[in-house]
């Protein structure tokens, strides 16, 4: 692709605004470079962008927008979220579902994230499937907190299979909560961010938030609960069926997972992959499939995910099934799911 360049001049000179725009040691400019794959050089009030024409134009628009906001220092979060918003110009924050959490600015940043929120609010069972960093777990927890705050449910139940990511951690000391704590840490982090650590602690004491290892779910009926099954790619088909049939009256369930990161023993079928096929046409169940375009993390994460997906597809085309086996287990079922 032919490279192009464009120069911006921020005049009259405002050194404080320029410093807020660029960040310490031009860290904000480096983030924009990484996110848009452009080169940015600055000399005084002049900034030059080099790269693909579309990326250069998007970068120039971003810099002008950030400069207008630079009365206060801009941190890396401001820059990264601004970049993501610029990649999804059709998203109107005013039309986004409003959730009752501590984060007033919480909203779906991409079309798939917006669709995911709408499906969770409209369906009793929702599957969120896709790569790391797409907000599957965080947005599910946000919806659970919203439902609890509005008294739509009486408790939040957090469930995750205790499967290690390729390592054997051995015996873990403590009571049941302490044993499964390492596996549920991403869910805790989301709760602390959305409710505050002190309030989360009180909710645990009251039983309004409960941790439930998947292995101990059999035989239970969960009424008026918002249930989240995280890392569901590491469930077996039997475990997935068992989990989905725990729902009682007034319950809502969200199942999240990344089929490309299965840690089950080789040859084991993932319950998440099977569930997508079995449940795709069941009324009341919705499926949202995320892609690398939905990643809301460091700009390189989206590229890493896309590179791995391209590599997996290449291995499949060349017939090198032995090398691609673990990766292909997650990519073999990417057909569109039910949207209703």
């Amino acid at each position: 692709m032919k490279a192009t360049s464009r120069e911006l001049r921020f005049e009259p000179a405002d050194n404080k605004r320029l410093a807020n725009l660029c960040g310490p040691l031009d860290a904000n400019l480096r983030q924009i470079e990484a996110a848009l794959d452009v080169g940015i050089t600055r000399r005084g009030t002049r900034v030059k962008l080099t790269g693909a024409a579309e990326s250069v134009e998007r970068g120039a628009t971003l810099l002008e927008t950030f400069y207008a906001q630079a009365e206060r220092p801009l941190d890396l979060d401001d820059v990264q979220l601004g970049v993501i918003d610029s990649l999804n110009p059709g998203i109107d924050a005013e039309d986004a579902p409003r959730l009752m959490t501590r984060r007033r600015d919480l909203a779906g940043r991409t079309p798939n994230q917006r669709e995911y929120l709408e499906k969770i609010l409209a369906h009793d069972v929702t599957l969120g499937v896709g790569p790391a960093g797409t907000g599957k777990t965080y947005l599910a927890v946000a919806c659970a907190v919203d439902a609890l705050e509005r008294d739509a449910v009486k408790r939040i139940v957090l469930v995750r299979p205790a499967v290690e990511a390729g390592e054997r951690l051995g015996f873990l000391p403590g009571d049941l909560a302490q044993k499964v704590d390492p596996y549920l840490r991403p869910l805790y982090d989301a709760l602390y961010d959305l409710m505050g650590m002190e309030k989360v602690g009180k909710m645990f004491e009251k039983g309004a938030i409960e941790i439930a290892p998947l292995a101990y779910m059999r035989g239970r009926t969960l009424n008026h609960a918002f249930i989240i099954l995280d890392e569901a790619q590491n469930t077996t088909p039997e475990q997935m069926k068992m989990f989905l049939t725990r729902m009682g009256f007034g319950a809502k369930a969200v199942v999240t997972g990344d089929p490309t990161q299965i840690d089950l023993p080789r040859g084991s079928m993932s319950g998440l992959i099977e569930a997508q096929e079995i449940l795709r046409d069941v009324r009341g169940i919705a499926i949202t499939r995320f892609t690398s375009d939905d990643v809301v993390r460091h700009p390189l994460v989206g590229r890493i995910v896309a590179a791995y997906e391209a590599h997996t597809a290449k291995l499949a085309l060349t017939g090198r099934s032995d090398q691609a086996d673990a990766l292909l287990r997650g990519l073999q079922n990417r057909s569109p799911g039910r949207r209703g």
Side-chain angles (χ1 to χ4, degrees):
M1 185 178 296
K2 186 177 180 181
T4 186
S5 63
R6 179 176 171 182
E7 185 174 280
L8 300 177
R9 294 194 178 195
F10 297 107
E11 295 180 342
D14 185 332
N15 291 332
K16 179 181 178 181
R17 200 179 275 265
L18 277 172
N20 290 341
L21 168 67
C22 298
L25 301 175
D26 289 346
N28 293 344
L29 300 185
R30 301 291 81 82
Q31 283 292 309
I32 296 173
E33 281 184 325
L36 301 182
D37 197 18
V38 297
I40 300 177
T41 56
R42 181 176 71 89
R43 178 169 294 180
T45 61
R46 293 182 298 173
V47 176
K48 184 177 181 180
L49 297 93
T50 306
E54 183 179 355
S55 296
V56 166
E57 288 303 313
R58 182 175 287 122
T61 301
L62 262 179
L63 287 173
E64 290 171 343
T65 300
F66 287 145
Y67 187 73
Q69 300 170 355
E71 292 180 353
R72 61 171 181 82
L74 302 176
D75 59 28
L76 292 181
D77 287 348
D78 294 325
V79 174
Q80 291 183 6
L81 292 177
V83 169
I84 293 165
D85 290 341
S86 75
L87 297 173
N88 299 278
I91 297 292
D92 185 357
E94 296 301 320
D95 295 334
R98 290 297 170 189
L99 302 179
M100 189 179 293
T101 73
R102 195 173 69 162
R103 290 288 302 272
R104 301 300 179 188
D105 60 340
L106 191 149
R109 298 280 176 177
T110 70
N112 278 338
Q113 288 187 350
R114 178 74 60 83
E115 176 189 282
Y116 182 53
L117 287 174
E118 292 172 348
K119 285 181 174 180
I120 292 175
L121 296 175
H123 296 80
D124 288 336
V125 177
T126 303
L127 277 63
V129 183
T134 51
K136 305 181 301 294
T137 300
Y138 188 87
L139 293 176
V141 174
C143 289
V145 171
D146 173 76
L148 187 64
E149 295 285 6
R150 297 178 189 276
D151 289 326
V153 297
K154 300 302 181 184
R155 57 180 165 161
I156 298 172
V157 181
L158 308 176
V159 185
R160 191 170 180 175
V163 178
E164 295 135 340
E167 300 180 62
R168 296 295 174 221
L169 301 180
F171 174 78
L172 294 175
D175 58 21
L176 180 62
Q178 292 170 324
K179 290 178 187 295
V180 300
D181 181 82
Y183 301 101
L184 294 168
R185 182 52 52 185
L187 297 169
Y188 283 127
D189 291 342
L191 283 171
Y192 292 150
D193 189 42
L194 293 164
M195 299 182 74
M197 188 172 295
E198 184 177 347
K199 188 171 183 178
V200 170
K202 291 180 179 178
M203 290 293 184
F204 271 111
E205 291 177 4
K206 293 167 52 179
I209 301 177
E210 175 190 348
I211 55 173
L214 185 60
Y216 292 89
M217 289 285 287
R218 189 175 298 280
R220 298 190 63 182
T221 300
L222 299 173
N223 295 315
H224 307 291
F226 196 116
I227 318 159
I228 299 174
L229 173 59
D230 194 31
E231 298 291 342
Q233 75 275 6
N234 288 326
T235 62
T236 64
E238 294 78 15
Q239 288 175 324
M240 178 62 76
K241 179 183 177 183
M242 180 268 291
F243 170 80
L244 291 172
T245 55
R246 297 309 94 199
M247 293 179 62
F249 295 115
K252 185 182 288 282
V254 179
V255 177
T256 70
D258 178 2
T260 67
Q261 297 193 36
I262 297 174
D263 300 310
L264 294 170
R266 181 178 292 274
S268 299
M269 180 65 178
S270 168
L272 179 62
I273 291 177
E274 184 183 76
Q276 291 179 78
E277 182 64 30
I278 293 174
L279 304 176
R280 58 188 299 177
D281 295 319
V282 176
R283 186 180 297 277
I285 296 178
I287 302 174
T288 296
R289 289 184 173 84
F290 297 94
T291 70
S292 57
D293 293 334
D294 300 302
V295 172
V296 185
R297 281 187 184 169
H298 189 286
L300 284 178
V301 175
R303 293 190 204 166
I304 290 169
V305 170
Y308 269 93
E309 290 182 347
H311 178 66
T312 301
K314 181 179 178 181
L315 289 177
L317 288 173
T318 56
R320 293 156 68 184
S321 58
D322 289 342
Q323 295 184 36
D325 178 61
L327 294 170
L328 289 175
R329 283 189 293 173
L331 297 176
Q332 62 187 347
N333 192 24
R334 286 293 182 91
S335 56
R338 181 178 179 84
R339 293 183 176 271

